[in-house]
Amino acid sequence: MDEKIRVGRDFFTRDVLDVAPELLSMVLVVRSADKSIRRFGITETEAYRGEEDRACHAWKGRTARTEIMYHVGGNLYIYLVYGMYWMLNIVTGVINDPQAVLIRGIRGFYGPGRVTRELGINRSYYGEDLTTSGRIWLEESGVKPDFRTGKRIGIDYAGDYWKSRPWRYYLL
């Protein structure tokens, strides 16, 4: 089989502030329609922590768009911004506790829109389960990298407290 050690459900059913930094250097694997497999190390993430986090889409409550965030961790939350860029988020936590990690960078590609374009991510990935999917999953890399934290990007609307949370994680 082409897979190494696939990340299991237990990893994703933890708090987003634990999962987001631990995703750094994990390997995001995508199987294309032609069955070719490509692997990318994750280099940057951002955490969005539930209904109390004014930068999180779940802040305004459960909607058709955010429904998957209320499911068990390990599913994908995909949405479109500016009418042109798909955003790749990994749901974390337990049922009815909406949290997600935005994948901002993979090795060689920085910026969440560039990431999804390179990976071929679109709306069809919404709700995909990383623990069972045959077209996208995560693998352990065995590396525990040094990283930095910083403010999340592009969330001025959330107010000073929420935009200043150091919930962006990136490799040195």
Side-chain angles (χ1 to χ4, degrees), residues 74-124:
N75 293 299
L76 296 182
Y77 171 43
I78 308 293
Y79 61 90
L80 192 65
V81 296
Y82 308 124
M84 58 193 305
Y85 300 112
W86 294 103
M87 300 290 106
L88 170 60
N89 296 263
I90 300 171
V91 174
T92 66
V94 296
I95 292 173
N96 293 322
D97 185 11
Q99 304 176 22
V101 179
L102 172 65
I103 305 301
R104 290 197 58 84
I106 57 176
R107 191 132 348 259
F109 299 90
Y110 297 91
R114 290 185 181 120
V115 167
T116 54
R117 188 171 45 233
E118 178 61 26
L119 297 175
I121 301 296
N122 57 40
R123 174 81 168 93
S124 73

Side-chain angles (χ1 to χ4, degrees), residues 64-76:
R65 178 184 183 186
T66 64
E67 176 61 31
I68 197 64
M69 291 182 73
Y70 290 82
H71 292 219
V72 67
N75 293 299
L76 296 182

Side-chain angles (χ1 to χ4, degrees), residues 144-156:
K144 299 296 178 204
D146 290 329
F147 64 90
R148 291 217 169 110
T149 63
K151 296 177 184 177
R152 295 176 291 181
I153 297 171
I155 59 164
D156 288 346

Side-chain angles (χ1 to χ4, degrees), residues 41-60:
I42 297 173
T43 60
E44 185 176 2
T45 62
E46 280 182 354
Y48 291 87
R49 196 165 190 233
E51 291 178 349
E52 75 277 5
D53 179 356
R54 288 181 176 235
C56 182
H57 288 172
W59 177 65
K60 293 185 178 179

